[in-house]
């Protein structure tokens, strides 16, 4: 049987933290993130729609040599590895269970406006990054808060919070999900693996990668993240083809449910409010736009212009929610297994959410394709969670470098990752999960304030890129290359010399990437 943490006082603390988290996200943070996304959409003249083709070209044209650093595509896959995780399988199932099909519409809304936020924060991460000892770069909110806003204190606060969240709490929850997925399949066949065995295997798989540092994580994520997303998308396509006649009805249910027009989901836990809150909360958790996590990966890339990485990470929000989360939603909806849980309240709703967290998506796939597909889903969940575990380590290491210097010893952090991995596999982690949700919310608030104040730098970088792109198309320029000093589109000179004419970015920049 699975080992669990002590009950009693811890149970009360877990419930209290859960209530705080729900109120904080639903009553404040969700709406702030949407408002910020709309603001950035307007100020950037809808960059996520206007320059969407450029985003696609940049992603597929960024696999070049980074001269010893990390390529833009590798940085994209690190961010994708962390984004595309259990939230895309578990989170969507819970959203539909508690909010009805309409929750998916609000996940789409969050993603589409969040693409602008993702563009801004990742562009800023590139602009204020610093060179690292291993030939790559380091950056993210802690760095642009310190270098852009001149506040080392708040940069340090952010770094401490994100190190806890991604260095321990989220690592543990991903390992917990893997253990649950494996035993969920085995229990259906009257078998079970001891949690400590799963924990030991995960530690053995994780240690060789994290002890090689960010570059090794980047090389693994470069193939693992795209493959896992592709396999899952293909699985959804197969299910859609087998049930093509039901697709219009599924989309109709999504749009009707989004505005409370479907009477089936207009009860206590359904209707407009439940659809919006559950869709927004789960969408934000999944795509991470504005939370300040993905910019840590974006900053590591070697690229010729900060906007390139802004394009790439904005596309990451699209892939995560519009593609992967939609695939999950259609799988669940076409099975019809969620109907009995979508209109409950109180303890029954909580129990339904717990059931969705464990098996709803896997059960939906098995219902459509047969019992054999449970094994495939267990493998997909494993890869999703494992790649997130690796991507999360990257964020922690970058912020440890901020706190202790780029040449700091990461042995203690890597050991903490392994401990979190083992603990996650053998323990019930509701307490840590709720605590980390609150910490992530605090992290997001700090980041939102920072990127709003620093947004003018990203807007200036975008104008610079657009001007150079016009010259490139007209034949008056051979490549797009960003310079951070004396740039008329910026509000001032960037600190340091990474983006100086002969700075670190120019010295090791990869070949021109999808410049036109």
């Amino acid at each position: 049987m699975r080992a669990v943490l002590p009950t009693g006082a811890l149970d009360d603390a877990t419930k209290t933290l859960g209530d705080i988290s729900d109120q904080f996200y639903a009553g404040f943070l969700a709406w702030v993130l949407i408002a910020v996304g709309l603001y950035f959409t307007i100020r950037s003249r809808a960059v996520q729609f206007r320059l969407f083709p450029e985003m696609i070209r940049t992603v597929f044209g960024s696999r070049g040599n980074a001269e010893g650093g990390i390529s833009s595509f590798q940085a994209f896959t690190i961010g994708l590895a962390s984004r595309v995780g259990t939230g895309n399988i578990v989170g969507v199932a819970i959203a539909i269970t508690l909010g009805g099909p309409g929750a998916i519409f609000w996940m789409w809304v969050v993603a589409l406006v969040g693409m602008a936020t993702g563009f801004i924060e990742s562009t800023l991460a590139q602009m204020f990054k610093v060179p690292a000892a291993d030939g790559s770069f380091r950056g993210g909110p802690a760095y642009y808060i310190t270098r852009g806003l001149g506040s080392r204190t708040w940069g340090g606060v952010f770094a401490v919070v994100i190190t806890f969240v991604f260095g321990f709490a989220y690592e543990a929850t991903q390992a917990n999900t893997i253990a649950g997925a494996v035993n969920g399949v085995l229990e259906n066949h009257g078998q079970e693996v001891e949690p400590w065995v799963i924990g030991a295997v995960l530690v053995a798989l994780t240690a060789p990668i994290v002890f090689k540092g960010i570059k090794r994580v980047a090389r693994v994520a470069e193939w693992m993240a795209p493959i896992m997303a592709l396999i899952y998308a293909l699985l959804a396509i197969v299910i859609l083809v087998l049930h093509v006649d039901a697709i219009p009805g599924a989309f109709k249910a999504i749009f009707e449910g989004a505005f409370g027009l479907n009477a089936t989901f207009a009860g206590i836990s359904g209707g407009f409010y439940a659809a919006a809150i559950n869709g927004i909360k789960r969408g934000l958790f999944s795509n991470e736009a504005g939370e300040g996590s993905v910019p840590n990966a974006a900053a590591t890339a070697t690229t010729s212009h900060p906007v390139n990485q802004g394009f790439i990470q904005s596309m990451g929000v699209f892939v995560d929610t519009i593609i992967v989360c939609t695939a999950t939603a259609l799988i669940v909806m076409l099975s019809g297994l969620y109907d009995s849980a979508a209109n409950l309240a109180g303890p029954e709703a909580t129990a339904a959410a717990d059931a969705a967290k464990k098996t709803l998506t896997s059960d939906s796939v098995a219902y459509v394709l047969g019992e054999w597909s449970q094994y495939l889903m267990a493998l997909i969940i494993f890869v999703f969670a494992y790649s997130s575990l690796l991507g999360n380590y990257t964020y922690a290491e970058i912020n440890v470098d901020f706190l202790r210097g780029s040449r700091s010893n990461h042995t203690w952090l890597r050991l903490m990752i392994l401990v979190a991995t083992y603990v996650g596999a053998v323990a019930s982690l509701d307490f840590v999960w709720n605590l980390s949700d609150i910490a992530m919310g605090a992290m997001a608030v700090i980041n939102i304030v920072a990127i709003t104040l620093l947004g003018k730098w990203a807007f200036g970088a975008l104008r610079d890129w657009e001007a150079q792109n016009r010259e490139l198309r007209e034949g008056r320029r051979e490549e797009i290359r960003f310079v951070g000093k004396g740039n008329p589109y910026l509000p001032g000179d960037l600190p340091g010399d990474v983006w100086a004419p002969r700075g670190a970015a120019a010295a090791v920049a990869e070949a021109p990437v999808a410049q036109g």
Side-chain angles (χ1 to χ4, degrees), residues 220-232:
V220 173
E222 185 175 22
W223 61 266
M224 181 180 286
I227 288 176
M228 71 174 181
L230 178 61
I231 291 175
Y232 192 58

Side-chain angles (χ1 to χ4, degrees), residues 19-34:
D19 292 341
I20 293 173
S21 174
D22 289 343
Q23 291 299 318
F24 181 56
Y25 275 88
F28 174 70
L29 185 57
W31 305 109
V32 170
L33 283 168
I34 288 181

Side-chain angles (χ1 to χ4, degrees), residues 296-358:
N296 294 275
T300 63
T302 302
T303 186
S304 61
H305 200 291
V307 164
N308 288 332
Q309 204 61 35
F311 286 158
I312 285 174
Q313 298 300 346
S314 181
M315 178 57 67
V317 176
F318 182 88
V319 171
D320 172 89
T321 304
I322 304 300
I323 296 179
V324 182
C325 286
T326 300
T328 298
L330 292 175
I331 289 171
V332 171
M333 291 180 63
L334 293 179
S335 75
L337 298 181
Y338 67 93
D339 285 351
S340 62
N343 219 16
L344 302 173
E348 289 181 317
T350 301
D354 287 341
K357 186 184 299 183
K358 295 177 181 177

Side-chain angles (χ1 to χ4, degrees), residues 186-267:
L186 294 177
E187 286 171 0
N188 289 337
H189 296 81
Q191 301 175 350
E192 186 176 9
V193 175
E194 288 294 327
W196 71 265
V197 175
I198 299 175
V201 171
L202 286 176
V203 169
L205 291 173
T206 304
I209 298 175
V210 299
F211 269 88
K212 290 293 184 179
I214 288 178
K215 286 188 178 181
R216 174 62 63 87
V217 173
R219 284 193 290 271
V220 173
E222 185 175 22
W223 61 266
M224 181 180 286
I227 288 176
M228 71 174 181
L230 178 61
I231 291 175
Y232 192 58
L234 290 175
L235 181 68
I237 290 172
V238 170
I239 292 174
L240 294 180
V241 169
L242 293 175
H243 295 78
V244 65
D245 57 333
I247 295 176
F251 278 100
K252 180 181 179 183
I254 289 173
F255 284 105
E256 288 182 345
F259 302 99
L261 302 179
N262 189 331
T264 305
F265 304 100

